[in-house]
Amino acid sequence: MDLSRRRFLQAAVLTAATAGATAACGGSGASGSKDSKNLKFWYWAGGLSDKVVADAKKHFSDATLKTSVVGGDFKTKLLTGLKSAASAPDITGIKGEDIASFLPNANRFIDLNTVGADKLAPQYLSWKLKQATSQDGKLIGFPIDIGPCALYYREDLFEKAGLPTDPAKVSAQLSTWDDYFDAGVELHKAIPKTFLINNIGAVFSMLIGQGTKRFIDEDNRFIGDQDHIRTAWTTAVKPYTLKIDAKINDNTWNAAIGNGTLGTELGAAWHALDISNAAPGTKGKWRVASLPGGASNLGGSFLALPATCANPELAFKVITWILSPENQARGFTDAALFPTAPAAYKLPALTGGDAFFGGQKTIEIFGPAAEKIPAAYEAPADAAVSAAYFNELTNIEAKGKKPEDAWQDAVSQAKQIAQRQGVK
């Protein structure tokens, strides 16, 4: 399972860039027989716990779940499948970076509120449910997982630089972005080979996720030139000007994470797997603290029922069984899928200490963060528009482009992309 944040972001941007051209999927929109006990179920490798899915087949023994782990471009294959009732799955995953592009075509999916989601909603994170809700109130996706973000840091390097090392103290003393950058200056001064961040795009991504507005508003108007984006841009550029940015935008990250070039990482809960896989020799040296500036999210997907679903009531029972708090906790153990049901945060699978992080109970950081993530409207064209900003941030690091020039070009390019996507 490739959970690399860099690849995740790159894939999300590339996928979203074509969203306007591919989102309008065909299909008759007519449901099949309500009596059918045969359900086709599509998801991607790592999208769910395979063990939980296997147990679902046993649990619903009076039904037949024909599961397919779909490889390649899942969204494209789903769009093709949705063109007819014969080829469409009855239950399907939808990746988090794709959900916004499906919302304008919400009628191609069952409104899950009509099969009982509205009654279960209080058990799940409201901001995540909102991501899968159309502007007229239809819920097309039930949340599989999320990516609450945190500050990963090397305790040994922080100690050497005279910085706080206890997660609670780090969370308190590095609570703002400026506090975090100040710590980065001290860290780099004490250990010249060590930098605070891998690249400034990572900071920008966290900052956007901490806000309640993104690049396009609910009236489909471009707002990527407004103060909330400009402030995020200015803040993200600071590590570059302070010379605490490692400027890693290539395949050297694995080495940097293991040899001490990076003293901290900004990332989602699933990013812990990236770090441990890349640098197993650093086991016990990493810790997790709260993200500077507040809660943010990166990633997380959904299960949905196409409108042609043969048996929506049964299919929704399957979804809610797989995504119960108990089975979400299993999904965290099996596939690093962070639960969307807060009740899971109290279960043993999440409350135990993590040996890679020195025995720290990381749920004490990720749990509260998950519940504080702000709800923000994400337009179908949002990710495509955002690509211009990330590209220009890379140009600052790779080409030495002046930040002000990069900002002007980012806004200009974003406006052009927005216009092509039908944004006002």
Side-chain angles (χ1 to χ4, degrees):
M1 176 172 53
D2 183 1
L3 290 176
S4 164
R5 178 178 62 204
R6 300 183 310 289
R7 294 186 183 178
F8 170 86
L9 287 172
Q10 290 165 358
V13 167
L14 290 172
T15 299
T18 58
T22 60
C25 46
S28 65
S31 295
S33 168
K34 301 287 185 178
D35 298 325
S36 176
K37 296 294 181 71
N38 299 311
L39 299 175
K40 292 184 290 184
F41 188 163
W42 290 8
Y43 65 105
W44 55 90
L48 291 167
S49 163
D50 292 329
K51 294 178 183 178
V52 172
V53 173
D55 284 348
K57 293 180 180 182
K58 298 175 185 176
H59 183 80
F60 294 93
S61 57
D62 59 340
T64 300
L65 292 180
K66 184 179 180 182
T67 57
S68 297
V69 178
V70 179
D73 187 334
F74 188 88
K75 181 185 177 184
T76 297
K77 292 181 179 180
L78 176 58
L79 287 166
T80 300
L82 290 174
K83 289 180 179 179
S84 72
S87 61
D90 298 289
I91 304 172
T92 184
I94 296 180
K95 294 187 178 183
E97 62 265 32
D98 297 330
I99 192 71
S101 70
F102 281 106
L103 288 174
N105 300 283
N107 63 314
R108 299 303 184 189
F109 297 89
I110 301 292
D111 176 3
L112 299 181
N113 288 320
T114 66
V115 288
D118 54 340
K119 298 180 180 63
L120 295 175
Q123 300 177 37
Y124 295 82
L125 294 165
S126 60
W127 65 265
K128 189 62 178 178
L129 289 167
K130 184 177 179 180
Q131 280 188 349
T133 302
S134 65
Q135 287 186 284
D136 60 355
K138 294 183 178 68
L139 178 68
I140 68 167
F142 209 71
I144 297 173
D145 66 314
I146 55 172
C149 296
L151 169 64
Y152 296 92
Y153 67 97
R154 283 279 297 269
E155 183 191 46
D156 57 329
L157 299 181
F158 268 42
E159 182 176 17
K160 188 174 180 180
L163 295 169
T165 57
D166 177 74
K169 291 182 178 179
V170 173
S171 297
Q173 294 185 39
L174 277 61
S175 63
T176 71
W177 286 105
D178 282 340
D179 290 337
Y180 174 53
F181 299 152
D182 288 345
V185 172
E186 291 183 43
L187 180 65
H188 186 59
K189 183 178 179 180
I191 314 171
K193 76 165 190 175
T194 299
F195 296 86
L196 185 70
I197 62 164
N198 65 341
N199 61 56
I200 55 179
V203 181
F204 187 69
S205 178
M206 296 294 139
L207 285 156
I208 296 300
Q210 289 175 333
T212 57
K213 296 187 292 183
R214 295 179 64 85
F215 300 89
I216 301 165
D217 69 14
E218 294 186 50
D219 294 321
N220 201 35
R221 293 180 302 186
F222 176 77
I223 56 173
D225 55 354
Q226 293 186 4
D227 288 347
H228 66 292
I229 299 295
R230 181 63 205 243
T231 299
W233 174 279
T234 302
T235 303
V237 170
K238 283 183 179 180
Y240 173 81
T241 59
L242 292 170
K243 302 186 187 311
I244 52 175
D245 171 18
K247 307 175 190 174
I248 296 172
N249 288 287
D250 54 21
N251 295 322
T252 61
W253 180 83
N254 277 28
I257 206 72
N259 64 20
T261 297
L262 291 172
T264 75
E265 272 287 286
L266 303 172
W270 46 259
H271 192 48
L273 189 59
D274 292 341
I275 297 172
S276 60
N277 285 343
T282 62
K283 180 179 179 180
K285 296 180 179 180
W286 288 90
R287 298 291 184 273
V288 185
S290 299
L291 186 70
S296 186
N297 181 73
L298 189 64
S301 300
F302 302 85
L303 287 178
L305 306 179
T308 51
C309 177
N311 192 329
E313 289 77 17
L314 174 60
F316 187 64
K317 288 179 181 178
V318 172
I319 284 178
T320 53
W321 188 87
I322 289 174
L323 299 180
S324 68
E326 294 77 15
N327 282 329
Q328 284 201 351
R330 292 177 62 197
F332 178 76
T333 300
D334 297 341
L337 300 168
F338 195 88
T340 59
Y345 305 163
K346 299 177 182 179
L347 298 178
L350 283 92
T351 57
D354 190 319
F356 187 82
F357 295 100
Q360 182 183 352
K361 297 180 179 179
T362 60
I363 190 62
E364 294 175 357
I365 298 294
F366 290 116
E371 299 190 62
K372 293 175 183 176
I373 292 165
Y377 172 70
E378 184 170 352
D382 190 274
V385 168
S386 75
Y389 298 86
F390 288 100
N391 289 339
E392 288 299 324
L393 287 168
T394 299
N395 285 339
I396 292 172
E397 293 174 317
K399 300 178 181 179
K401 191 169 183 176
K402 292 181 179 179
E404 183 59 31
D405 291 343
W407 165 256
Q408 296 296 336
D409 287 346
V411 171
S412 176
Q413 293 164 25
K415 285 181 177 179
Q416 293 176 37
I417 295 169
Q419 189 173 30
R420 290 197 296 270
Q421 297 272 344
V423 177
K424 301 171 187 175

